[in-house]
Amino acid sequence: MTFDRRIKIAPSILSADFADFGREIRAIEDQGADWVHVDVMDGHFVPNLTFGPQAVRAFRPHVTTFMDVHLMIAPVDPYIEAYAEAGADLITAHVESGPHIHRTLQAIRATGKKAGVSLNPGTPLEAIEYVLDLTDLVLVMSVNPGFGGQKFIHSQIDKIARLRGMIGDRPIHIQVDGGVDPKTAPLVARAGADVLVAGSAVFRGGSVAEAEVYGRNIRAIREAAEAHRPE
């Protein structure tokens, strides 16, 4: 995948119909999704339990764009290879999900996949300062991880802006996840984010049978973000 800083919308399938993932994935892609975001939770690192490697393997044939797998699990290192083999294109791990984030990022890259690192709302930028050269993406959590539909934490806008300065001209995506909708998308885009994860804001009001609603929601977020993206 060629790197660029154009706005990309990555719907989180945590908000999809769990009984119909294949058609839900195809519907959001048909309606303009750039990436498909898969939130993996272990009920330990975060207070929820979601998708194991076999689920991700089942999603893979339906994803024709880019499958972005966000591991909210600890310890994370023992599971990297399984999620890589399941078909993730990019694997993101949290700074706190193991004792050595540098080693974790090395392990992700060793599988041939793109590597992401995630910052919880209370995690400072300094935690990743010396691993940026091992990353393809930095995920700034704008809610506490674990559940969809939470309220956006505005203090993360400054973090995104400072992260954009720290990255400089390196080809590293800035992703933001949590409370992203047409109202908050301009704020994070102006600060420098280029990959916007949205769950309820994409899936709300729609269904596989009414997929055009997904399309309207995706376009609304994209247009709001693009109107405020730095030149």
Side-chain angles (χ1 to χ4, degrees):
M1 184 182 66
T2 303
F3 179 85
D4 65 71
R5 295 199 183 280
R6 289 178 294 180
I7 295 295
K8 288 163 280 294
I9 308 300
S12 168
I13 60 170
L14 188 64
S15 295
D17 179 352
F18 275 37
D20 205 4
F21 277 122
R23 292 202 300 164
E24 289 275 49
I25 289 168
R26 293 194 297 273
I28 57 173
E29 288 191 333
D30 288 346
Q31 292 296 324
D34 301 290
W35 294 10
V36 174
H37 187 81
V38 181
D39 286 307
V40 174
M41 307 180 190
D42 64 358
H44 167 70
F45 185 67
V46 294
N48 203 351
L49 188 64
T50 59
F51 311 117
Q54 290 302 319
V56 173
R57 189 182 302 277
F59 302 154
R60 179 70 261 183
H62 302 283
V63 178
T64 62
T65 52
F66 185 84
M67 187 158 62
D68 160 31
V69 176
H70 176 196
L71 299 183
M72 290 171 272
I73 63 178
V76 69
D77 290 1
Y79 298 96
I80 288 170
E81 189 170 346
Y83 281 98
E85 290 177 353
D89 292 306
L90 181 146
I91 296 173
T92 297
H94 282 250
V95 169
E96 299 89 351
S97 62
H100 305 291
I101 189 60
H102 188 283
R103 181 178 294 159
T104 297
L105 292 168
Q106 285 182 317
I108 295 171
R109 295 176 80 87
T111 68
K113 306 300 182 178
K114 293 187 179 298
V117 62
S118 184
L119 297 167
N120 285 330
T123 306
L125 284 177
E126 288 74 16
I128 61 167
E129 184 175 359
Y130 295 104
V131 298
L132 281 177
D133 288 335
L134 286 173
T135 67
D136 298 289
L137 175 146
V138 178
L139 167 53
V140 176
M141 291 299 302
S142 45
V143 299
N144 284 297
F147 292 99
Q150 297 184 70
K151 188 177 180 181
F152 183 87
I153 299 173
H154 283 262
S155 63
Q156 302 309 294
I157 297 168
D158 176 66
K159 183 187 287 185
I160 294 167
R162 292 194 297 117
L163 173 61
R164 184 67 193 85
M166 183 184 289
I167 287 172
D169 61 359
R170 284 177 280 202
I172 300 172
H173 293 293
I174 297 177
Q175 184 178 70
V176 61
D177 183 357
V180 174
D181 59 25
K183 292 182 179 179
T184 56
L187 306 177
V188 299
R190 187 184 299 117
D194 61 284
V195 184
L196 279 55
V197 177
S200 54
V202 166
F203 287 94
R204 184 183 296 116
S207 65
V208 167
E210 295 182 281
E212 65 276 5
V213 176
Y214 298 162
R216 288 198 297 270
N217 292 342
I218 289 170
R219 286 192 298 275
I221 297 168
R222 189 190 307 280
E223 289 168 6
E226 288 180 341
H228 292 83
R229 186 169 66 90
E231 293 299 329

